[in-house]
């Protein structure tokens, strides 16, 4: 979808851009949606655990089929916008009448046929085990363990590549540059995730962010020392310490947060790219 730059008729429109909306369907089956309650970043005790959240438009959560375990042919009924993710979604109708949502790959159109399982043809939108996918193919919606839902490569415009296949394992290069060893029976969808132009959209004004549920953010260096480790000083000062800190004094910005003893640590062949 091309990016439309707004005419600078007002200050709010001056730097605003948005995607040209295609003809999206509006069918939202009640069985495939879930009304979410706005928590404003608070937990069950009422304490703020995620800062800068609140307000925003009411949303319905689309229930996406991450497993793709129904091995019947399905027809794409509609392509839809999903407020809960950057990618678009496709509403499928299977031969037995059941309907499900999936992530829409680039190039998928209304009326196309998609299928899951080892017998599915090699075509964008089809969901297969890694051992049935040709080496070098672009894939997304990848599961990290057999018979588990897909958990990686789900953002707009992203794709992983299948580097090699062995007897029981496959080597997959993720969008971050990390090369990971996966079981041959792990599932993935062929193609690239749709809506790749999403990254070029500029919010343009603060009010548009409020519609997304984001409240204003204040820089730590603009605060007083009592409010933030970066606060204080005369004029526009730098952070002024060896490591940037969070408001609670923990190291931030570039500090490794991955657990050293994570069970999947041995599956990483090459680390992701670093600056």
């Amino acid at each position: 979808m091309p990016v439309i730059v707004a005419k600078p008729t007002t200050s709010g429109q001056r730097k605003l851009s948005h995607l040209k909306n295609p003809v999206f369907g509006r069918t939202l089956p009640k069985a495939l949606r879930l009304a979410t309650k706005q928590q404003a970043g608070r937990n069950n005790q009422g304490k703020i655990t995620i800062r800068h959240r609140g307000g925003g438009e009411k949303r319905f959560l689309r229930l996406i089929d991450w497993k793709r375990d129904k091995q019947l042919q399905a027809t794409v009924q509609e392509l839809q916008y999903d407020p809960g993710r950057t990618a678009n979604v496709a509403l499928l109708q299977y031969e037995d009448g059941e309907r499900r949502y999936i992530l829409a790959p680039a190039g998928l159109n209304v009326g196309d046929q998609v299928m899951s399982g080892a017998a599915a043809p090699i075509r964008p939108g089809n969901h297969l085990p890694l051992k049935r996918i040709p080496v070098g193919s672009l894939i997304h919606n990848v599961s990290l363990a057999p018979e588990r839902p897909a958990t990686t490569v789900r953002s707009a415009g992203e794709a992983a590549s299948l580097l090699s296949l062995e007897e029981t394992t496959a080597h997959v290069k993720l969008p971050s540059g990390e090369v990971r060893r996966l079981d041959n029976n792990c599932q993935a969808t062929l193609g690239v995730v749709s809506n790749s132009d999403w990254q070029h959209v500029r919010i343009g004004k603060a009010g548009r962010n409020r519609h997304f549920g984001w409240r204003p953010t204040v820089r730590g260096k603009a605060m007083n020392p009592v409010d933030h480790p970066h606060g204080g000083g005369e004029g526009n000062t730098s952070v002024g310490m060896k490591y940037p800190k969070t408001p609670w004094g923990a190291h931030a910005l570039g500090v490794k947060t991955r657990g050293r003893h994570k069970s999947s640590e041995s599956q990483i062949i090459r680390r992701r790219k670093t600056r």
Side-chain angles (χ1 to χ4, degrees), residues 142-169:
V142 183
S143 62
L144 298 182
E147 300 181 1
R148 296 290 296 170
T151 54
T152 56
V153 198
R154 307 192 316 194
S155 297
E158 297 287 5
S161 57
L162 183 61
L163 297 183
S164 65
L165 285 172
E166 299 176 359
E167 291 185 4
T168 58
T169 60

PDB file of all heavy atoms in Angstrom, residues 142-169:
ATOM      1  N   VAL A 142       6.546 -18.434  12.154  1.00  0.00           N
ATOM      2  CA  VAL A 142       7.329 -19.639  12.423  1.00  0.00           C
ATOM      3  C   VAL A 142       7.102 -20.085  13.864  1.00  0.00           C
ATOM      4  O   VAL A 142       7.137 -19.264  14.794  1.00  0.00           O
ATOM      5  CB  VAL A 142       8.824 -19.384  12.188  1.00  0.00           C
ATOM      6  CG1 VAL A 142       9.639 -20.657  12.383  1.00  0.00           C
ATOM      7  CG2 VAL A 142       9.046 -18.827  10.784  1.00  0.00           C
ATOM      8  N   SER A 143       6.898 -21.388  14.054  1.00  0.00           N
ATOM      9  CA  SER A 143       6.816 -21.961  15.403  1.00  0.00           C
ATOM     10  C   SER A 143       8.201 -22.465  15.803  1.00  0.00           C
ATOM     11  O   SER A 143       8.939 -22.988  14.971  1.00  0.00           O
ATOM     12  CB  SER A 143       5.795 -23.096  15.451  1.00  0.00           C
ATOM     13  OG  SER A 143       6.174 -24.148  14.581  1.00  0.00           O
ATOM     14  N   LEU A 144       8.539 -22.324  17.079  1.00  0.00           N
ATOM     15  CA  LEU A 144       9.852 -22.709  17.564  1.00  0.00           C
ATOM     16  C   LEU A 144       9.899 -24.131  18.095  1.00  0.00           C
ATOM     17  O   LEU A 144      10.955 -24.613  18.488  1.00  0.00           O
ATOM     18  CB  LEU A 144      10.317 -21.736  18.658  1.00  0.00           C
ATOM     19  CG  LEU A 144      10.481 -20.285  18.207  1.00  0.00           C
ATOM     20  CD1 LEU A 144      10.996 -19.436  19.359  1.00  0.00           C
ATOM     21  CD2 LEU A 144      11.413 -20.181  17.012  1.00  0.00           C
ATOM     22  N   ALA A 145       8.757 -24.803  18.125  1.00  0.00           N
ATOM     23  CA  ALA A 145       8.702 -26.197  18.562  1.00  0.00           C
ATOM     24  C   ALA A 145       7.562 -26.884  17.804  1.00  0.00           C
ATOM     25  O   ALA A 145       6.562 -26.232  17.467  1.00  0.00           O
ATOM     26  CB  ALA A 145       8.482 -26.304  20.073  1.00  0.00           C
ATOM     27  N   PRO A 146       7.687 -28.178  17.510  1.00  0.00           N
ATOM     28  CA  PRO A 146       6.625 -28.876  16.773  1.00  0.00           C
ATOM     29  C   PRO A 146       5.299 -28.844  17.535  1.00  0.00           C
ATOM     30  O   PRO A 146       5.265 -28.902  18.764  1.00  0.00           O
ATOM     31  CB  PRO A 146       7.161 -30.308  16.653  1.00  0.00           C
ATOM     32  CG  PRO A 146       8.637 -30.184  16.808  1.00  0.00           C
ATOM     33  CD  PRO A 146       8.856 -29.041  17.758  1.00  0.00           C
ATOM     34  N   GLU A 147       4.225 -28.693  16.766  1.00  0.00           N
ATOM     35  CA  GLU A 147       2.858 -28.702  17.300  1.00  0.00           C
ATOM     36  C   GLU A 147       2.604 -27.572  18.288  1.00  0.00           C
ATOM     37  O   GLU A 147       1.739 -27.680  19.157  1.00  0.00           O
ATOM     38  CB  GLU A 147       2.531 -30.056  17.946  1.00  0.00           C
ATOM     39  CG  GLU A 147       2.626 -31.230  16.979  1.00  0.00           C
ATOM     40  CD  GLU A 147       2.273 -32.548  17.641  1.00  0.00           C
ATOM     41  OE1 GLU A 147       1.936 -32.523  18.840  1.00  0.00           O
ATOM     42  OE2 GLU A 147       2.332 -33.575  16.952  1.00  0.00           O
ATOM     43  N   ARG A 148       3.380 -26.514  18.159  1.00  0.00           N
ATOM     44  CA  ARG A 148       3.169 -25.335  18.998  1.00  0.00           C
ATOM     45  C   ARG A 148       2.725 -24.171  18.123  1.00  0.00           C
ATOM     46  O   ARG A 148       3.011 -24.141  16.927  1.00  0.00           O
ATOM     47  CB  ARG A 148       4.462 -24.959  19.743  1.00  0.00           C
ATOM     48  CG  ARG A 148       4.940 -26.012  20.718  1.00  0.00           C
ATOM     49  CD  ARG A 148       4.028 -26.110  21.906  1.00  0.00           C
ATOM     50  NE  ARG A 148       4.011 -24.891  22.689  1.00  0.00           N
ATOM     51  CZ  ARG A 148       3.151 -24.641  23.670  1.00  0.00           C
ATOM     52  NH1 ARG A 148       2.229 -25.536  23.971  1.00  0.00           N
ATOM     53  NH2 ARG A 148       3.202 -23.510  24.336  1.00  0.00           N
ATOM     54  N   PRO A 149       2.018 -23.172  18.673  1.00  0.00           N
ATOM     55  CA  PRO A 149       1.618 -22.022  17.869  1.00  0.00           C
ATOM     56  C   PRO A 149       2.824 -21.225  17.388  1.00  0.00           C
ATOM     57  O   PRO A 149       3.885 -21.238  18.023  1.00  0.00           O
ATOM     58  CB  PRO A 149       0.746 -21.189  18.819  1.00  0.00           C
ATOM     59  CG  PRO A 149       0.686 -21.915  20.094  1.00  0.00           C
ATOM     60  CD  PRO A 149       1.525 -23.116  20.042  1.00  0.00           C
ATOM     61  N   ALA A 150       2.656 -20.519  16.292  1.00  0.00           N
ATOM     62  CA  ALA A 150       3.723 -19.674  15.765  1.00  0.00           C
ATOM     63  C   ALA A 150       3.940 -18.479  16.687  1.00  0.00           C
ATOM     64  O   ALA A 150       2.985 -17.856  17.143  1.00  0.00           O
ATOM     65  CB  ALA A 150       3.363 -19.201  14.367  1.00  0.00           C
ATOM     66  N   THR A 151       5.214 -18.174  16.953  1.00  0.00           N
ATOM     67  CA  THR A 151       5.530 -17.088  17.885  1.00  0.00           C
ATOM     68  C   THR A 151       6.511 -16.078  17.321  1.00  0.00           C
ATOM     69  O   THR A 151       6.731 -15.045  17.947  1.00  0.00           O
ATOM     70  CB  THR A 151       6.121 -17.660  19.189  1.00  0.00           C
ATOM     71  OG1 THR A 151       7.232 -18.502  18.869  1.00  0.00           O
ATOM     72  CG2 THR A 151       5.090 -18.466  19.953  1.00  0.00           C
ATOM     73  N   THR A 152       7.128 -16.329  16.166  1.00  0.00           N
ATOM     74  CA  THR A 152       8.138 -15.414  15.639  1.00  0.00           C
ATOM     75  C   THR A 152       7.806 -15.028  14.203  1.00  0.00           C
ATOM     76  O   THR A 152       7.044 -15.708  13.523  1.00  0.00           O
ATOM     77  CB  THR A 152       9.541 -16.050  15.674  1.00  0.00           C
ATOM     78  OG1 THR A 152       9.505 -17.289  14.943  1.00  0.00           O
ATOM     79  CG2 THR A 152       9.970 -16.344  17.097  1.00  0.00           C
ATOM     80  N   VAL A 153       8.413 -13.926  13.767  1.00  0.00           N
ATOM     81  CA  VAL A 153       8.289 -13.387  12.400  1.00  0.00           C
ATOM     82  C   VAL A 153       6.813 -13.143  12.085  1.00  0.00           C
ATOM     83  O   VAL A 153       6.225 -13.768  11.207  1.00  0.00           O
ATOM     84  CB  VAL A 153       8.935 -14.322  11.356  1.00  0.00           C
ATOM     85  CG1 VAL A 153       9.177 -13.559  10.053  1.00  0.00           C
ATOM     86  CG2 VAL A 153      10.234 -14.914  11.843  1.00  0.00           C
ATOM     87  N   ARG A 154       6.209 -12.208  12.831  1.00  0.00           N
ATOM     88  CA  ARG A 154       4.786 -11.928  12.656  1.00  0.00           C
ATOM     89  C   ARG A 154       4.515 -10.445  12.399  1.00  0.00           C
ATOM     90  O   ARG A 154       3.366 -10.065  12.228  1.00  0.00           O
ATOM     91  CB  ARG A 154       4.010 -12.381  13.893  1.00  0.00           C
ATOM     92  CG  ARG A 154       4.270 -13.822  14.274  1.00  0.00           C
ATOM     93  CD  ARG A 154       3.313 -14.380  15.293  1.00  0.00           C
ATOM     94  NE  ARG A 154       3.023 -13.522  16.415  1.00  0.00           N
ATOM     95  CZ  ARG A 154       2.426 -13.925  17.532  1.00  0.00           C
ATOM     96  NH1 ARG A 154       2.061 -15.206  17.641  1.00  0.00           N
ATOM     97  NH2 ARG A 154       2.177 -13.097  18.513  1.00  0.00           N
ATOM     98  N   SER A 155       5.562  -9.605  12.356  1.00  0.00           N
ATOM     99  CA  SER A 155       5.356  -8.173  12.147  1.00  0.00           C
ATOM    100  C   SER A 155       5.274  -7.837  10.665  1.00  0.00           C
ATOM    101  O   SER A 155       5.754  -8.594   9.814  1.00  0.00           O
ATOM    102  CB  SER A 155       6.501  -7.378  12.789  1.00  0.00           C
ATOM    103  OG  SER A 155       6.528  -7.568  14.181  1.00  0.00           O
ATOM    104  N   ALA A 156       4.722  -6.675  10.371  1.00  0.00           N
ATOM    105  CA  ALA A 156       4.513  -6.259   8.984  1.00  0.00           C
ATOM    106  C   ALA A 156       5.834  -6.189   8.231  1.00  0.00           C
ATOM    107  O   ALA A 156       6.819  -5.616   8.712  1.00  0.00           O
ATOM    108  CB  ALA A 156       3.840  -4.893   8.954  1.00  0.00           C
ATOM    109  N   GLY A 157       5.853  -6.791   7.031  1.00  0.00           N
ATOM    110  CA  GLY A 157       7.009  -6.722   6.153  1.00  0.00           C
ATOM    111  C   GLY A 157       8.153  -7.639   6.514  1.00  0.00           C
ATOM    112  O   GLY A 157       9.183  -7.635   5.831  1.00  0.00           O
ATOM    113  N   GLU A 158       8.021  -8.453   7.559  1.00  0.00           N
ATOM    114  CA  GLU A 158       9.122  -9.302   8.003  1.00  0.00           C
ATOM    115  C   GLU A 158       9.080 -10.653   7.304  1.00  0.00           C
ATOM    116  O   GLU A 158       8.033 -11.133   6.880  1.00  0.00           O
ATOM    117  CB  GLU A 158       9.064  -9.521   9.525  1.00  0.00           C
ATOM    118  CG  GLU A 158       9.219  -8.253  10.335  1.00  0.00           C
ATOM    119  CD  GLU A 158      10.634  -7.729  10.322  1.00  0.00           C
ATOM    120  OE1 GLU A 158      11.487  -8.302   9.605  1.00  0.00           O
ATOM    121  OE2 GLU A 158      10.896  -6.728  11.007  1.00  0.00           O
ATOM    122  N   ALA A 159      10.268 -11.285   7.226  1.00  0.00           N
ATOM    123  CA  ALA A 159      10.373 -12.631   6.668  1.00  0.00           C
ATOM    124  C   ALA A 159      11.672 -13.247   7.151  1.00  0.00           C
ATOM    125  O   ALA A 159      12.687 -12.556   7.305  1.00  0.00           O
ATOM    126  CB  ALA A 159      10.336 -12.607   5.143  1.00  0.00           C
ATOM    127  N   ALA A 160      11.649 -14.539   7.418  1.00  0.00           N
ATOM    128  CA  ALA A 160      12.849 -15.313   7.711  1.00  0.00           C
ATOM    129  C   ALA A 160      13.207 -16.112   6.468  1.00  0.00           C
ATOM    130  O   ALA A 160      12.396 -16.233   5.538  1.00  0.00           O
ATOM    131  CB  ALA A 160      12.612 -16.241   8.906  1.00  0.00           C
ATOM    132  N   SER A 161      14.404 -16.640   6.432  1.00  0.00           N
ATOM    133  CA  SER A 161      14.818 -17.447   5.284  1.00  0.00           C
ATOM    134  C   SER A 161      15.303 -18.804   5.775  1.00  0.00           C
ATOM    135  O   SER A 161      15.999 -18.902   6.791  1.00  0.00           O
ATOM    136  CB  SER A 161      15.911 -16.745   4.480  1.00  0.00           C
ATOM    137  OG  SER A 161      17.018 -16.442   5.289  1.00  0.00           O
ATOM    138  N   LEU A 162      14.928 -19.830   5.054  1.00  0.00           N
ATOM    139  CA  LEU A 162      15.337 -21.194   5.371  1.00  0.00           C
ATOM    140  C   LEU A 162      16.695 -21.444   4.719  1.00  0.00           C
ATOM    141  O   LEU A 162      16.805 -21.515   3.496  1.00  0.00           O
ATOM    142  CB  LEU A 162      14.288 -22.184   4.857  1.00  0.00           C
ATOM    143  CG  LEU A 162      14.523 -23.656   5.166  1.00  0.00           C
ATOM    144  CD1 LEU A 162      14.568 -23.904   6.665  1.00  0.00           C
ATOM    145  CD2 LEU A 162      13.430 -24.507   4.523  1.00  0.00           C
ATOM    146  N   LEU A 163      17.738 -21.570   5.550  1.00  0.00           N
ATOM    147  CA  LEU A 163      19.097 -21.677   5.029  1.00  0.00           C
ATOM    148  C   LEU A 163      19.461 -23.093   4.628  1.00  0.00           C
ATOM    149  O   LEU A 163      20.097 -23.306   3.597  1.00  0.00           O
ATOM    150  CB  LEU A 163      20.108 -21.164   6.076  1.00  0.00           C
ATOM    151  CG  LEU A 163      19.998 -19.696   6.468  1.00  0.00           C
ATOM    152  CD1 LEU A 163      21.097 -19.339   7.452  1.00  0.00           C
ATOM    153  CD2 LEU A 163      20.070 -18.796   5.240  1.00  0.00           C
ATOM    154  N   SER A 164      19.109 -24.073   5.448  1.00  0.00           N
ATOM    155  CA  SER A 164      19.499 -25.449   5.139  1.00  0.00           C
ATOM    156  C   SER A 164      18.574 -26.421   5.853  1.00  0.00           C
ATOM    157  O   SER A 164      17.911 -26.070   6.829  1.00  0.00           O
ATOM    158  CB  SER A 164      20.953 -25.703   5.563  1.00  0.00           C
ATOM    159  OG  SER A 164      21.092 -25.606   6.964  1.00  0.00           O
ATOM    160  N   LEU A 165      18.554 -27.651   5.356  1.00  0.00           N
ATOM    161  CA  LEU A 165      17.782 -28.737   5.946  1.00  0.00           C
ATOM    162  C   LEU A 165      18.706 -29.918   6.205  1.00  0.00           C
ATOM    163  O   LEU A 165      19.503 -30.294   5.331  1.00  0.00           O
ATOM    164  CB  LEU A 165      16.640 -29.166   5.017  1.00  0.00           C
ATOM    165  CG  LEU A 165      15.429 -28.235   4.926  1.00  0.00           C
ATOM    166  CD1 LEU A 165      14.496 -28.697   3.821  1.00  0.00           C
ATOM    167  CD2 LEU A 165      14.689 -28.172   6.253  1.00  0.00           C
ATOM    168  N   GLU A 166      18.590 -30.502   7.389  1.00  0.00           N
ATOM    169  CA  GLU A 166      19.341 -31.698   7.736  1.00  0.00           C
ATOM    170  C   GLU A 166      18.356 -32.820   8.041  1.00  0.00           C
ATOM    171  O   GLU A 166      17.162 -32.691   7.784  1.00  0.00           O
ATOM    172  CB  GLU A 166      20.272 -31.404   8.916  1.00  0.00           C
ATOM    173  CG  GLU A 166      21.297 -30.312   8.603  1.00  0.00           C
ATOM    174  CD  GLU A 166      22.151 -29.951   9.806  1.00  0.00           C
ATOM    175  OE1 GLU A 166      21.930 -30.534  10.892  1.00  0.00           O
ATOM    176  OE2 GLU A 166      23.016 -29.079   9.663  1.00  0.00           O
ATOM    177  N   GLU A 167      18.849 -33.919   8.600  1.00  0.00           N
ATOM    178  CA  GLU A 167      17.977 -35.073   8.827  1.00  0.00           C
ATOM    179  C   GLU A 167      16.831 -34.747   9.776  1.00  0.00           C
ATOM    180  O   GLU A 167      15.682 -35.103   9.520  1.00  0.00           O
ATOM    181  CB  GLU A 167      18.800 -36.245   9.376  1.00  0.00           C
ATOM    182  CG  GLU A 167      19.771 -36.839   8.362  1.00  0.00           C
ATOM    183  CD  GLU A 167      20.470 -38.048   8.914  1.00  0.00           C
ATOM    184  OE1 GLU A 167      20.131 -38.463  10.049  1.00  0.00           O
ATOM    185  OE2 GLU A 167      21.349 -38.585   8.233  1.00  0.00           O
ATOM    186  N   THR A 168      17.154 -34.079  10.869  1.00  0.00           N
ATOM    187  CA  THR A 168      16.115 -33.797  11.869  1.00  0.00           C
ATOM    188  C   THR A 168      15.977 -32.317  12.181  1.00  0.00           C
ATOM    189  O   THR A 168      15.060 -31.933  12.912  1.00  0.00           O
ATOM    190  CB  THR A 168      16.426 -34.543  13.178  1.00  0.00           C
ATOM    191  OG1 THR A 168      17.715 -34.140  13.659  1.00  0.00           O
ATOM    192  CG2 THR A 168      16.423 -36.046  12.956  1.00  0.00           C
ATOM    193  N   THR A 169      16.860 -31.480  11.671  1.00  0.00           N
ATOM    194  CA  THR A 169      16.842 -30.058  12.022  1.00  0.00           C
ATOM    195  C   THR A 169      16.884 -29.193  10.771  1.00  0.00           C
ATOM    196  O   THR A 169      17.187 -29.658   9.673  1.00  0.00           O
ATOM    197  CB  THR A 169      18.035 -29.697  12.928  1.00  0.00           C
ATOM    198  OG1 THR A 169      19.258 -29.991  12.235  1.00  0.00           O
ATOM    199  CG2 THR A 169      17.974 -30.458  14.237  1.00  0.00           C
TER     200      THR A 169
END
